[in-house]
Amino acid sequence: MLMSKLLGERFKEKPGEATSISHIYLLRGGYVRQVTNGIYSLLPPAKRVVSKIENIIRQEMDAIDGQEVLFPVALPGDLWRESGRFDAVGSELVRFKDRGGKDMVLGMTHEEAAVHLARTEAKSYNNYPFMIYQIQTKFRDEPRARGGLIRVREFTMKDAYSFHTSQEDLEAYYEKCLQAYHRIFARAGVPETVCVQSDTGMMGGKVAHEFMLLTDIGEDTIIICDSCDYQSNMEVATGKLPVATTEEGTIEEVHTPNAHTIEEVANMLGVTADKTLKACVFEMEGHKEPLIVFIRGDLQVNEAKLQKVVKATITPFEKYEDTPNLCFGFMGPYNLDARDAKIIFDESLRNEKNLVVGGNKKDYHIKGISISRDIKDADFHDVAEVLEGQECPCCHGKLQFKRGVEVGNIFQLGTRYSESMGMTYIDSDGKAKTPIMGCYGIGVGRLLACIIEARHDEWGPIWPMSVAPWQVHICVLKSKKTDMDAIGNEIYNKLSSKYEVIMDDRNVGAGVQFADADLLGIPVRVVVGEKNLKEGKVELMTRDKSVKKLVDLGDVEKEVAALIAELS
């Protein structure tokens, strides 16, 4: 490739709309151009990187017996009705009608399409187990598109679906996929990607893991133990809490005028927040009664955990006029007139004693409440967010908070989709049974952006050899005395027969060439300059500047081969 022919401009200035490192360099380096909010066109350098990422993914999926297929982007709404997601998923799912008035959707994920295909092709136990995968365009009408390719509306994704006749077989294959993901990210140049326990969310199922690249631009909070290998995202993380109070207290009603917050109550009564109890009230979709969650005053409710407990979508409760018996702002579990409300106690309260709780009447609290002594038939569940510094659930280490970007996820879906969509096979006993599914996804464009986030310096990306758009970048510095182009072309022709090479043949200064080379981030650079050529040498260097040396003109091929082998 010649730079004079390469489509795409490179810019010195930081784009005003870009905030993340990857977004800045993708725009400055001529990799992507925004079409509209959250939708981008890829220019040749980015397309070459994407193709290499996809090839790595294909190789690893094929190595665990994956079979590549291709599902449609536009799908009939009836398929999503079979799974129950046509109405359950919000406005992120794009729904439209075709010219015949039939409901259609744009695929944001393809579980329904996978089951639709598999249920017609795998009707006997002899067909199992198997895994099908695709690398396909998807559309999710993301309300918070940001960060360039980090969070977009249209994206390319590898999604795979495995089908099994037993839970044990699914679990064994799930582990194979987990290890394949580690290999994919290592080969793509981000081996530091961590695997954390996660919530299954809209996908359903019981077990899920996310693969996260730890970076300050990440929107997700990752919980990591400083002493063991415990890793989780905030939605499912657990931890150990010391009991705040060990002595029983005497029940006493106290006047607390205008003390509505935990901080105000604690200050008024001279206690710390962990010696208080607070009530959080939610509305459950499909239920008339409110949901009351009692939790220790220094903690927050984890809504993802809570939704799994109550098996319903929850939102903050606002129908105060419908529940005159509940004294909002002063609600507590002692002598509570809850009537039809559903009540849950967080595990943080199980052994607590001598707590301050709401008095269930305006401007009053109650001191000295012990949960086991004073509250009968409490229903305990872990619905709290962990605190930074909290004790690890697996050891005595401390939990640390990190920021991360999700680059992949895997789910044990179980029969969530196969059962709802009527997929069966005939087992060896002659009976019809429902297959068990797994699901495995990787965002290709997001992975590209994350590689830049992890591999860059102040001048641009530093592409790993495995995914670099080209392997060698030749800079030919112009001279009025020497025919530099002839020498550059000779090197270019020799190296192009073995490697992917781009050469800067433009009539521009060295500063422009080097700045553009840094933005393209090619691992190996050959600089052909007049001064060094007088001694029969050219400069050979790596993009990360760790290698920089002069080599004989006749040894360029050998030296480049050795450097590429080392970087690979």
Side-chain angles (χ1 to χ4, degrees):
M1 185 71 206
L2 300 178
M3 285 285 286
S4 61
K5 304 296 184 183
L6 179 63
L7 183 67
E9 296 294 320
R10 285 153 299 284
F11 307 110
K12 182 178 180 180
E13 297 79 16
K14 173 186 174 295
E17 71 270 28
T19 53
S20 68
I21 290 294
S22 60
H23 195 190
I24 292 169
Y25 286 146
L26 285 170
L27 291 174
R28 283 189 56 202
Y31 293 89
V32 304
R33 293 291 181 258
Q34 182 169 313
V35 178
T36 188
N37 183 37
I39 299 177
Y40 291 84
S41 291
L42 302 187
L43 280 79
K47 184 63 176 70
R48 293 176 70 93
V49 174
V50 163
S51 294
K52 292 186 176 183
I53 292 172
E54 290 176 354
N55 285 337
I56 290 172
I57 291 172
R58 282 191 176 94
Q59 290 167 12
E60 293 297 341
M61 292 296 96
D62 291 347
I64 56 173
D65 300 322
Q67 302 178 64
E68 187 169 7
V69 298
L70 189 64
F71 301 125
V73 176
L75 297 162
D78 287 346
L79 273 185
W80 282 63
R81 285 195 174 92
E82 286 185 44
S83 69
R85 292 204 296 181
F86 185 83
D87 296 311
V89 176
S91 56
E92 295 88 353
L93 176 65
V94 173
R95 303 164 176 86
F96 64 100
K97 292 183 183 293
D98 65 14
R99 66 177 62 198
K102 184 177 181 180
D103 285 323
M104 302 287 290
V105 303
L106 291 183
M108 56 190 289
T109 180
H110 278 77
E111 285 74 19
E112 287 83 359
V115 172
H116 176 266
L117 176 66
R119 69 186 177 187
T120 63
E121 309 301 324
K123 297 182 177 180
S124 167
Y125 72 96
N126 290 314
N127 301 124
Y128 291 79
F130 64 94
M131 183 268 273
I132 51 179
Y133 74 94
Q134 67 165 349
I135 299 176
Q136 172 66 297
T137 299
K138 298 180 186 293
F139 190 89
R140 174 188 174 95
D141 200 5
E142 170 61 54
R144 297 179 297 114
R146 60 173 288 274
L149 299 185
I150 294 292
R151 183 177 290 278
V152 291
R153 297 161 70 203
E154 181 180 288
F155 52 97
T156 299
M157 187 173 180
K158 186 284 298 180
D159 49 329
Y161 306 92
S162 64
F163 296 80
H164 309 267
T165 58
S166 70
Q167 178 65 25
E168 293 75 18
D169 191 56
L170 167 60
E171 291 173 2
Y173 192 79
Y174 188 85
E175 179 63 26
K176 288 175 66 176
C177 262
L178 189 150
Q179 297 305 324
Y181 270 41
H182 282 305
R183 293 192 297 272
I184 288 169
F185 297 126
R187 291 180 60 187
V190 282
E192 61 268 53
T193 300
V194 299
C195 178
V196 303
Q197 299 175 44
S198 66
D199 181 51
T200 55
M202 65 166 280
M203 300 296 293
K206 297 181 179 179
V207 178
H209 289 81
E210 291 172 343
F211 292 81
M212 311 291 296
L213 179 71
L214 301 183
T215 170
D216 291 338
I217 69 150
E219 291 184 326
D220 296 314
T221 300
I222 310 304
I223 315 301
I224 296 176
C225 176
D226 64 3
S227 299
C228 74
D229 60 358
Y230 178 77
Q231 298 171 337
S232 177
N233 72 7
M234 178 62 82
E235 293 177 331
V236 298
T238 60
K240 299 175 186 175
L241 282 171
V243 177
T245 308
T246 57
E247 297 180 357
E248 298 281 7
T250 301
I251 296 177
E252 176 187 357
E253 186 179 73
V254 291
H255 190 217
T256 52
N258 301 316
H260 297 276
T261 68
I262 289 297
E263 183 179 8
E264 290 169 346
V265 172
N267 288 339
M268 182 175 291
L269 299 182
V271 298
T272 54
D274 59 359
K275 295 182 180 179
T276 67
L277 174 151
K278 65 182 176 184
C280 302
V281 187
F282 300 91
E283 182 176 351
M284 295 184 291
E285 186 177 50
H287 297 263
K288 293 182 178 180
E289 71 274 15
L291 169 64
I292 303 173
V293 179
F294 291 115
I295 189 170
R296 215 167 75 175
D298 60 329
L299 301 177
Q300 300 297 325
V301 172
N302 184 319
E303 293 188 9
K305 288 183 180 179
L306 182 58
Q307 288 182 153
K308 293 187 78 170
V309 170
V310 300
K311 296 180 174 57
T313 300
I314 61 170
T315 53
F317 189 81
E318 297 179 350
K319 299 178 180 178
Y320 307 121
E321 67 282 357
D322 295 341
T323 53
N325 54 304
L326 297 179
C327 187
F328 289 89
F330 297 90
M331 196 184 310
Y334 187 69
N335 292 332
L336 172 67
D337 178 12
R339 299 181 187 175
D340 295 329
K342 180 176 178 61
I343 301 175
I344 286 177
F345 287 76
D346 181 62
E347 281 287 347
S348 60
L349 298 172
R350 184 182 289 274
N351 297 310
E352 288 290 353
K353 301 175 183 178
N354 203 10
L355 292 173
V356 174
V357 307
N360 294 310
K361 64 180 180 179
K362 183 175 174 57
D363 291 337
Y364 281 90
H365 281 78
I366 298 175
K367 296 169 59 176
I369 294 297
S370 296
I371 300 300
S372 60
R373 182 193 67 187
D374 304 318
I375 309 300
K376 304 304 180 185
D377 301 321
D379 183 19
F380 292 100
H381 296 274
D382 174 20
V383 293
E385 290 186 356
V386 298
L387 299 174
E388 190 161 17
Q390 192 171 333
E391 186 176 334
C392 172
C394 301
C395 71
H396 294 294
K398 300 299 182 183
L399 297 180
Q400 299 178 333
F401 285 14
K402 304 287 185 181
R403 305 299 296 174
V405 173
E406 178 189 340
V407 291
N409 50 54
I410 57 178
F411 300 84
Q412 291 185 26
L413 295 177
T415 59
R416 161 73 173 81
Y417 296 92
S418 52
E419 184 173 32
S420 64
M421 296 182 68
M423 180 180 179
T424 60
Y425 66 94
I426 302 302
D427 205 354
S428 56
D429 59 6
K431 296 181 179 179
K433 295 182 181 177
T434 301
I436 302 169
M437 291 178 62
C439 172
Y440 320 89
I442 292 177
V444 177
R446 182 178 287 188
L447 179 52
L448 177 151
C450 283
I451 295 170
I452 298 178
E453 294 290 340
R455 303 284 177 265
H456 70 270
D457 58 17
E458 60 185 294
W459 299 287
I462 303 174
W463 292 110
M465 185 65 72
S466 59
V467 297
W470 292 273
Q471 296 168 305
V472 182
H473 190 137
I474 302 173
C475 293
V476 182
L477 308 184
K478 302 303 180 182
S479 169
K480 294 181 180 180
K481 300 178 180 180
T482 307
D483 187 0
M484 306 298 290
D485 288 337
I487 298 170
N489 283 326
E490 182 180 352
I491 297 173
Y492 175 73
N493 291 332
K494 288 181 179 179
L495 293 179
S496 293
S497 65
K498 298 178 181 179
Y499 309 109
E500 298 170 343
V501 183
I502 185 169
M503 183 173 73
D504 199 335
D505 61 328
R506 299 172 299 167
N507 189 23
V508 296
V512 173
Q513 287 205 29
F514 293 156
D516 283 357
D518 283 340
L519 286 170
L520 287 177
I522 311 306
V524 175
R525 188 181 307 175
V526 179
V527 181
V528 183
E530 183 180 26
K531 179 180 177 181
N532 292 325
L533 277 178
K534 289 179 180 179
E535 301 178 6
K537 296 181 182 295
V538 297
E539 187 175 38
L540 183 64
M541 61 189 299
T542 55
R543 169 61 186 83
D544 65 3
K545 322 294 186 187
S546 64
V547 174
K548 190 174 184 179
K549 61 183 179 179
L550 296 177
V551 301
D552 291 335
L553 190 57
D555 292 336
V556 171
E557 289 180 82
K558 179 180 68 175
E559 293 284 353
V560 167
L563 195 51
I564 287 178
E566 180 181 342
L567 294 175
S568 298

Coordinates of all heavy atoms in Angstrom, one line a residue, residues 182-194 212-213 454-455 464:
H182 N -10.0 -16.5 26.5 CA -8.7 -16.0 27.0 C -7.6 -16.0 25.9 O -6.8 -15.1 25.8 CB -8.2 -16.9 28.2 CG -8.9 -16.6 29.5 ND1 -8.9 -15.3 30.0 CD2 -9.6 -17.4 30.3 CE1 -9.6 -15.3 31.2 NE2 -10.0 -16.6 31.4
R183 N -7.7 -17.1 25.1 CA -6.7 -17.1 24.0 C -7.0 -16.0 22.9 O -6.0 -15.4 22.4 CB -6.8 -18.5 23.3 CG -6.3 -19.6 24.2 CD -6.1 -20.9 23.4 NE -7.3 -21.4 22.8 CZ -8.1 -22.3 23.4 NH1 -7.9 -22.7 24.7 NH2 -9.2 -22.7 22.8
I184 N -8.2 -15.8 22.6 CA -8.6 -14.7 21.7 C -8.0 -13.4 22.1 O -7.4 -12.7 21.3 CB -10.1 -14.6 21.5 CG1 -10.6 -15.9 20.7 CG2 -10.5 -13.4 20.7 CD1 -12.1 -16.0 20.7
F185 N -8.3 -13.0 23.4 CA -7.9 -11.7 23.8 C -6.3 -11.6 23.9 O -5.7 -10.5 23.6 CB -8.5 -11.4 25.1 CG -10.0 -11.3 25.0 CD1 -10.9 -12.0 25.9 CD2 -10.6 -10.5 24.1 CE1 -12.2 -12.0 25.7 CE2 -12.0 -10.4 23.9 CZ -12.8 -11.1 24.8
A186 N -5.7 -12.7 24.3 CA -4.2 -12.7 24.3 C -3.7 -12.5 22.9 O -2.7 -11.7 22.7 CB -3.7 -14.0 25.0
R187 N -4.2 -13.3 22.0 CA -3.7 -13.2 20.6 C -4.0 -11.8 20.0 O -3.2 -11.3 19.2 CB -4.3 -14.2 19.7 CG -3.9 -15.7 20.1 CD -4.6 -16.7 19.2 NE -4.3 -16.4 17.7 CZ -4.8 -17.1 16.7 NH1 -5.7 -18.0 17.0 NH2 -4.5 -16.8 15.5
A188 N -5.1 -11.2 20.4 CA -5.4 -9.8 19.9 C -4.6 -8.7 20.5 O -4.7 -7.6 20.1 CB -6.9 -9.5 20.1
G189 N -3.8 -9.1 21.6 CA -2.9 -8.1 22.2 C -3.4 -7.5 23.5 O -2.8 -6.6 24.0
V190 N -4.4 -8.1 24.1 CA -4.9 -7.6 25.4 C -5.0 -8.7 26.4 O -6.1 -9.1 26.8 CB -6.2 -6.8 25.3 CG1 -6.0 -5.4 24.8 CG2 -7.2 -7.5 24.4
P191 N -3.9 -9.4 26.7 CA -4.0 -10.6 27.6 C -4.4 -10.2 29.0 O -4.8 -11.1 29.8 CB -2.5 -11.1 27.6 CG -1.7 -9.9 27.2 CD -2.5 -9.1 26.3
E192 N -4.3 -8.9 29.3 CA -4.7 -8.5 30.7 C -6.2 -8.4 30.9 O -6.7 -8.1 32.0 CB -4.1 -7.1 31.0 CG -4.6 -6.0 30.1 CD -3.7 -5.8 28.9 OE1 -3.4 -6.7 28.2 OE2 -3.3 -4.6 28.6
T193 N -7.0 -8.7 29.8 CA -8.5 -8.8 30.0 C -8.8 -9.8 31.1 O -8.3 -10.9 31.1 CB -9.1 -9.3 28.7 OG1 -8.8 -8.3 27.7 CG2 -10.6 -9.4 28.8
V194 N -9.7 -9.4 32.0 CA -10.0 -10.3 33.1 C -11.4 -10.9 32.9 O -12.3 -10.3 32.3 CB -9.9 -9.6 34.5 CG1 -8.5 -9.1 34.7 CG2 -10.9 -8.4 34.5
M212 N -13.5 -8.3 30.8 CA -13.4 -6.9 31.0 C -11.9 -6.5 30.8 O -11.0 -7.1 31.3 CB -13.9 -6.5 32.4 CG -15.2 -7.1 32.8 SD -16.6 -6.4 31.9 CE -16.5 -4.7 32.4
L213 N -11.8 -5.4 30.0 CA -10.5 -4.7 30.0 C -10.5 -3.6 31.0 O -11.4 -2.7 30.9 CB -10.2 -4.1 28.6 CG -8.9 -3.4 28.5 CD1 -7.7 -4.4 28.5 CD2 -8.8 -2.6 27.2
A454 N -5.5 0.1 25.5 CA -4.4 -0.6 26.3 C -3.1 -0.5 25.6 O -2.1 -0.6 26.3 CB -4.8 -2.1 26.3
R455 N -3.0 -0.2 24.4 CA -1.7 -0.1 23.6 C -1.6 1.2 22.9 O -2.0 1.3 21.7 CB -1.6 -1.3 22.7 CG -1.8 -2.7 23.3 CD -0.5 -3.1 24.1 NE -0.7 -4.3 24.7 CZ -1.0 -4.5 26.0 NH1 -1.3 -3.4 26.7 NH2 -1.2 -5.7 26.5
P464 N -0.4 -4.4 18.2 CA 0.2 -5.7 18.3 C 0.4 -6.2 16.9 O -0.4 -6.0 16.0 CB -0.7 -6.5 19.1 CG -1.6 -5.6 19.8 CD -1.7 -4.4 18.9

